[in-house]
Amino acid sequence: MSASLAILTIGVVPVKEIFPLLAEHVSEEQITHLSLLGKMDPEEVRREYAVDAGEHAIPTRLSDDSLGMVSREKVERDLQGVIEVLDNQGYDVILLMSTADIRGFVARNAILVEPQRIIPPLVASIVDGHQVGVIVPIPELMAQQKKKWQVLENEPYYALAHPYLATEQELIEAGKGLIERGADVLMLDCLGFHQYHRDLLQKALDVPVLLSNVLAARLASELLV
């Protein structure tokens, strides 16, 4: 029997873009995508996942394309429940597609790929002393990104450019500004960025561009046997 893959996201994420990266090992029919909040009414999300005292807020894209600030603790609790259901359903690999600061999930049988745990040390080993410039989509993610990339030998430089709202030229200008400050590798660490954006920057700026969702998808594809 062919391997099966479940892609799990918090909010609305255009995961179809990564399907070609998985096609070598699994057919599209054997890929299931579940979104914890992506099909819920935004007001319901804001009510049920409100950030209470002592909890931490994480941003996610909701079904009306608005930005929702939701409780990390409530999201982690319910994602673990979904992972347990998928695990019991017999999926071989569960890919958690999220750049949020969430981790610590458990699957008994499936291989669970958590980008937040895997990608930072992987990128650190790839760049190995180079100066990284990170393009961040929204200001609300800046503090989380700075915490995430503490594993790099050199503290990264940061710039803002949104994958849906910024024009091609604005994205290029963000990358150019990072290079002018000394970056020689660019990182696109948002699920809204795809290979199109990476190719655009590499062609315009002639520097390596890493894409976190591609790294996670390729790793997941190697586990599908």
Side-chain angles (χ1 to χ4, degrees):
M1 185 174 66
S2 298
S4 57
L5 167 71
I7 300 174
L8 181 56
T9 63
I10 298 175
V12 175
V13 176
V15 298
K16 287 280 187 180
E17 296 283 349
I18 69 168
F19 279 13
L21 303 175
L22 305 166
E24 181 180 347
H25 301 289
V26 64
S27 68
E28 190 168 325
E29 290 74 27
Q30 284 157 297
I31 302 175
T32 298
H33 171 218
L34 293 95
S35 174
L36 181 66
L37 310 178
K39 293 185 178 180
M40 290 178 62
D41 177 86
E43 290 309 311
E44 184 182 1
V45 171
R46 291 185 171 93
R47 185 169 59 251
E48 293 190 12
Y49 290 85
V51 183
D52 295 329
E55 295 181 339
H56 300 83
I58 56 173
T60 193
R61 186 180 174 206
L62 303 180
S63 60
D64 61 354
D65 286 336
S66 66
L67 182 70
M69 300 301 294
V70 296
S71 162
R72 185 185 75 191
E73 287 76 8
K74 292 184 177 77
V75 165
E76 288 177 336
R77 174 199 67 198
D78 291 350
L79 281 177
Q80 179 59 49
V82 176
I83 289 169
E84 290 171 6
V85 171
L86 294 171
D87 201 16
N88 291 332
Q89 290 176 345
Y91 283 91
D92 298 291
V93 177
I94 301 172
L95 171 58
L96 180 60
M97 289 294 290
S98 173
T99 57
D101 186 19
I102 55 174
R103 66 186 75 200
F105 301 102
V106 177
R108 293 189 307 275
N109 302 306
I111 298 175
L112 178 62
V113 180
E114 295 178 87
Q116 186 69 16
R117 181 171 56 87
I118 297 170
I119 297 302
L122 175 61
V123 170
S125 68
I126 292 172
V127 299
D128 192 25
H130 288 270
Q131 180 61 57
V132 177
V134 182
I135 297 181
V136 182
I138 53 176
E140 290 87 346
L141 284 174
M142 194 64 75
Q144 174 188 310
Q145 284 286 307
K146 289 182 177 180
K147 177 183 176 183
K148 180 175 185 174
W149 298 113
Q150 288 176 345
V151 299
L152 297 180
E153 182 177 337
N154 300 319
E155 182 179 354
Y157 301 134
Y158 296 91
L160 288 169
H162 196 283
Y164 310 126
L165 303 179
T167 65
E168 290 185 357
Q169 190 56 42
E170 287 171 338
L171 179 60
I172 291 170
E173 288 300 320
K176 184 177 179 182
L178 291 169
I179 293 170
E180 289 173 348
R181 292 167 62 189
D184 57 0
V185 178
L186 299 182
M187 161 61 77
L188 298 176
D189 189 32
C190 166
L191 298 180
F193 288 122
H194 291 288
Q195 294 191 86
Y196 162 77
H197 300 99
R198 182 190 65 185
D199 294 345
L200 175 71
L201 288 173
Q202 287 187 164
K203 182 177 180 181
L205 303 175
D206 194 29
V207 295
V209 181
L210 299 176
L211 197 55
S212 60
N213 56 2
V214 168
L215 292 173
R218 291 199 183 283
L219 176 59
S221 72
E222 291 301 316
L223 299 170
L224 294 167
V225 295

